[in-house]
Amino acid sequence: MHALRLAAIAALVVALCACSKNGMPLGSHGNAAGYIDMDKVIDAHPLHVQLDQLQAQITLLNGQAQNAPVPQTDAQRQAQAQMEEQLAAADQIFQAQMMQRRAYYGQREAAAIAALQAQTSGQATPIGTQLNAQAQKIQQDALKAYGDYQKQLFTADGQHLQAVARQLQQETGLKIAARRAQLEKNETDYQIELAKQSQTQRLNLKTTLEDLNLSQDQRQQAESQLANIETREEAMINSLKSRDNADLKAYEDSLQRDAAARYSAARISAMNDTNDKLKARQKEMNDQLKTQLAGLGTQYQQQVANANAQLENNPKTRAQLDKIHAENQAQYTAEFSKALATYQQTRKQLVAKYSAIGHMQFIDDAALQNEAQQLSEQRRDLYSKIIDQVQAQVGEVARERGVAIVFTSIKGAGHAVDLTDQVIKAIAALPSPSPASSSPDSAPAATSTPLLEPSGSRS
Amino acid sequence: MTDRRRHHPFFIALPAALALAALALGGCAQTHSRIAVVRVSELEANWPKFQNYYNQLQANYQAISQSKVSPAEKRKALAQFQDEEKRWNDEVTGDVRSAVTDIAKQRNYQIVVTKEGTAYGGDDITRDVMKALHIPEPSPSPK
């Protein structure tokens, strides 16, 4: 597709130059065609350094996200899983809080508007008060039902995971007991085998010792031999027991690891199931609310239609409405910024906490992505600013030189005028850009605050 | 400078139409010769016909890519897809060319080029082309 575009433009430049040579006017400002090397011009722009810096920061953030350290041990994996779970929970809480606050301010604004409408139309009670109360009740009921359902699911999850843990503990205990019994039996068999092997020698020595005519030396020698047999056997049995203990410990560790992995899988599965169920319930609830509120909305629309007609033509009321909206929006924005800062701090703390638990530095992917996105937006804005400035300068230069049209992408120049250097000079002569306007070092902008809409219709 | 390169995801592209329109009017005998530009990206973004073709082509391409048929059958399907792509491309290109040519004749424009390839100059006739092609005006963005 790109090749097609370039081919088209090259063809046009040729056609246009033929006309220029014949002295035919092409445009109101001149009769020649020009071109610039846009890449060169942008490279020479004073703000290009900032553009590169922003790109470097974006690349760095992307690199950090891609090269995030991978957990190596079970403990690290478990810490990461718990961290992700906690981050997701924090996100859910933040989103829910903001949804609630948006609804609150929306309703507050709607109530203020309704009161103003009533005042303007001379009615005793604000328009839509009753409908608003109904709408609030519907929303509160729906939220309560959702909260109850959430609690019910969490309780069920807790019980299920307790049962899983008990079962795993039981299984592990039984397996360890069976292995221990097996090893003990082996040790006993070994002990018997050793006793059998030394039985004759032991019997002979004992018989010798029963001889009362035995000299003192001979007695001591026989006793020593007998003791040696006992010591040797004991050492051999102890050695076997040590090996068995080590084996049992390794087996136990392996079973515990396996149980931890199975528990973790069960926990993640339960969490995913619950999240899916909650999402489905939320969608269902939203659909129901939409339908119910749409009905009320229609009634409300009818009630306010007449008042609106009056308000539209009244500049004083109009100003009051704008003031109400601005106040609500400002309060909501302030609250949103505060909550966002707390939320971001919570995320940082969670990452730090689980990094300490896992003895490794975890990365908050979402935060990195968010930061990279903000930088990308800054970069896009800066790029647009550069392009705007370049186009303005191109226009100036073109007018000066009597050039009717300036292309940015050509395949063959023909007789068209190359304005690149002149535009670069014009760009260089521009006043120095203010660093505050688009500095990449400035703190990234907070996540944009969603616009507040009052519940119901606003005149 | 990746910003300026439009890695266009569309299978169909309109600019070729404008070049042809310009060449059709490229004779230098007119006395009131002028230049006009058309913002092709705006046509692409707002033209339901173009969007429909684009969506359909994208869906078809995905279906072919993900299908588990034999390589020979896949090649055949891709060839059919390319035929279809060309046919639709020619159709939307023809529509734009025709509209641009009419407007250029009426207003004595000597050449019409795409705004996307120019840094300066030319009357913007995008809205007139949109009107001629019955493309709905984009809704103004909220404050």
Side-chain angles (χ1 to χ4, degrees):
Chain A
M1 304 306 163
H2 200 58
L4 265 181
R5 198 161 277 162
L6 290 175
I9 290 160
L12 289 176
V13 171
V14 172
L16 186 141
C17 290
C19 292
S20 301
K21 279 197 291 184
N22 291 338
M24 302 303 295
L26 287 169
S28 52
H29 299 296
N31 60 1
Y35 64 92
I36 55 163
D37 182 337
M38 190 60 115
D39 287 347
K40 255 172 123 175
V41 173
I42 290 172
D43 283 348
H45 196 283
L47 290 174
H48 185 258
V49 181
Q50 288 183 22
L51 206 61
D52 278 351
Q53 282 172 352
L54 282 169
Q55 185 55 52
Q57 282 179 295
I58 294 164
T59 311
L60 185 71
L61 287 172
N62 289 338
Q64 277 178 5
Q66 279 166 7
N67 300 319
V70 180
Q72 300 294 330
T73 65
D74 288 333
Q76 288 175 338
R77 277 189 282 274
Q78 202 177 352
Q80 190 186 35
Q82 282 173 356
M83 180 188 78
E84 277 166 7
E85 197 180 323
Q86 299 268 303
L87 287 173
D91 185 54
Q92 262 192 352
I93 291 169
F94 174 68
Q95 299 296 348
Q97 276 177 350
M98 287 304 99
M99 195 171 81
Q100 204 185 16
R101 297 317 289 160
R102 268 200 302 278
Y104 165 74
Y105 280 107
Q107 283 165 4
R108 205 177 74 159
E109 186 173 332
I113 292 168
L116 184 64
Q117 283 167 336
Q119 194 188 338
T120 312
S121 60
Q123 289 184 8
T125 53
I127 295 169
T129 303
Q130 201 187 343
L131 293 174
N132 247 339
Q134 278 181 39
Q136 276 180 21
K137 171 111 180 46
I138 289 170
Q139 282 176 331
Q140 279 164 2
D141 288 350
L143 280 172
K144 188 179 176 308
Y146 180 75
D148 290 347
Y149 181 65
Q150 198 178 31
K151 266 186 209 160
Q152 187 190 332
L153 287 180
F154 286 167
T155 309
D157 277 357
Q159 285 166 352
H160 166 66
L161 289 174
Q162 275 174 6
V164 169
R166 270 198 303 275
Q167 195 192 341
L168 288 170
Q169 203 177 7
Q170 204 175 4
E171 274 179 30
T172 308
L174 285 173
K175 282 181 182 169
I176 292 169
R179 175 64 73 98
R180 183 179 287 126
Q182 181 62 45
L183 293 174
E184 281 172 359
K185 185 180 174 302
N186 291 348
E187 285 164 11
T188 311
D189 290 349
Y190 184 59
Q191 210 167 357
I192 292 167
E193 184 58 33
L194 285 178
K196 272 184 190 168
Q197 282 171 13
S198 59
Q199 195 176 22
T200 314
Q201 200 185 356
R202 199 193 296 260
L203 202 62
N204 288 340
L205 285 167
K206 280 187 179 168
T207 312
T208 308
L209 284 170
E210 279 172 10
D211 185 357
L212 296 173
N213 292 326
L214 216 59
S215 71
Q216 187 64 24
D217 283 351
Q218 283 171 326
R219 181 170 295 280
Q220 275 182 354
Q221 195 182 353
E223 277 175 353
S224 166
Q225 280 176 359
L226 196 59
N228 280 346
I229 291 170
E230 296 286 344
T231 311
R232 186 174 58 85
E233 282 182 6
E234 201 179 325
M236 288 170 82
I237 288 162
N238 283 343
S239 164
L240 178 66
K241 278 185 177 171
S242 299
R243 284 202 304 276
D244 285 352
N245 283 341
D247 178 65
L248 193 65
K249 176 80 175 54
Y251 183 60
E252 199 176 332
D253 287 350
S254 131
L255 287 177
Q256 294 292 3
R257 272 200 302 277
D258 182 50
R262 284 166 65 191
Y263 179 78
S264 178
R267 189 178 51 79
I268 289 168
S269 165
M271 193 177 78
N272 289 342
D273 283 353
T274 301
N275 281 343
D276 289 347
K277 282 179 193 165
L278 285 174
K279 271 183 201 163
R281 176 59 69 98
Q282 203 165 18
K283 189 181 173 305
E284 195 185 319
M285 184 181 87
N286 285 342
D287 291 346
Q288 278 177 2
L289 275 177
K290 221 180 274 177
T291 316
Q292 289 172 319
L293 294 176
L296 293 178
T298 313
Q299 292 177 44
Y300 183 58
Q301 295 279 358
Q302 284 169 351
Q303 286 186 15
V304 297
N306 292 336
N308 281 348
Q310 293 174 21
L311 295 175
E312 281 301 326
N313 298 324
N314 186 339
K316 192 183 160 196
T317 319
R318 193 77 245 166
Q320 280 174 309
L321 283 173
D322 288 343
K323 192 175 164 224
I324 289 170
H325 179 65
E327 278 171 4
N328 274 286
Q329 181 69 43
Q331 284 181 23
Y332 171 69
T333 304
E335 216 173 298
F336 178 86
S337 302
K338 205 173 154 188
L340 181 69
T342 310
Y343 166 65
Q344 285 171 339
Q345 187 59 27
T346 305
R347 289 189 78 94
K348 271 187 195 165
Q349 283 169 351
L350 283 171
V351 172
K353 176 184 162 187
Y354 284 101
S355 295
I357 291 173
H359 298 294
M360 68 175 288
Q361 185 56 54
F362 290 123
I363 299 280
D364 185 357
D365 280 344
L368 283 181
Q369 273 175 17
N370 190 26
E371 204 177 333
Q373 198 184 337
Q374 282 168 9
L375 287 172
S376 295
E377 281 165 13
Q378 281 183 37
R379 188 181 184 281
R380 201 173 50 237
D381 291 347
L382 182 60
Y383 188 82
S384 299
K385 188 177 166 184
I386 292 175
I387 290 289
D388 288 349
Q389 284 188 349
V390 167
Q391 284 187 334
Q393 293 308 310
V394 169
E396 294 284 326
V397 171
R399 278 189 284 276
E400 266 175 37
R401 298 280 301 263
V403 172
I405 189 157
V406 181
F407 296 102
T408 58
S409 185
I410 58 163
K411 268 192 173 174
H415 292 277
V417 190
D418 185 357
L419 300 175
T420 308
D421 290 340
Q422 209 175 335
V423 172
I424 287 174
K425 272 184 202 158
I427 291 284
L430 286 173
S432 297
S434 109
S437 59
S438 54
S439 166
D441 299 329
S442 57
T447 306
S448 56
T449 317
L451 282 175
L452 191 63
E453 285 299 331
S455 304
S457 165
R458 193 192 138 171
S459 60
Chain B
M1 290 304 131
T2 50
D3 308 62
R4 282 196 310 116
R5 288 186 197 126
R6 289 184 69 216
H7 295 292
H8 211 294
F10 291 179
F11 294 93
I12 305 173
L14 295 175
L18 303 181
L20 291 170
L23 290 174
L25 299 167
C28 300
Q30 294 173 35
T31 47
H32 302 289
S33 51
R34 283 194 306 164
I35 304 164
V37 292
V38 175
R39 281 172 284 122
V40 175
S41 54
E42 191 161 337
L43 299 185
E44 289 176 345
N46 295 298
W47 195 6
K49 181 178 179 179
F50 179 87
Q51 294 286 335
N52 286 342
Y53 281 174
Y54 163 63
N55 290 336
Q56 208 165 328
L57 282 171
Q58 207 178 35
N60 290 352
Y61 186 76
Q62 288 237 329
I64 294 168
S65 307
Q66 289 164 6
S67 70
K68 303 210 182 318
V69 295
S70 66
E73 282 175 14
K74 205 172 250 193
R75 274 198 298 277
K76 196 176 155 193
L78 271 174
Q80 282 174 352
F81 167 81
Q82 278 161 0
D83 286 347
E84 193 169 50
E85 183 190 354
K86 187 180 178 310
R87 200 169 58 247
W88 286 353
N89 201 354
D90 288 348
E91 189 183 328
V92 290
T93 300
D95 288 349
V96 175
R97 177 170 52 195
S98 169
V100 169
T101 307
D102 286 349
I103 293 165
K105 274 181 185 164
Q106 282 166 20
R107 313 230 183 120
N108 291 329
Y109 284 119
Q110 190 172 358
I111 56 169
V112 183
V113 294
T114 59
K115 176 68 186 162
E116 283 76 7
T118 54
Y120 167 76
D123 295 345
D124 190 341
I125 59 164
T126 312
R127 290 297 159 100
D128 301 298
V129 177
M130 286 173 78
K131 205 175 276 180
L133 291 172
H134 306 293
I135 299 175
E137 293 266 327
S139 344
S141 32
K143 280 180 189 177

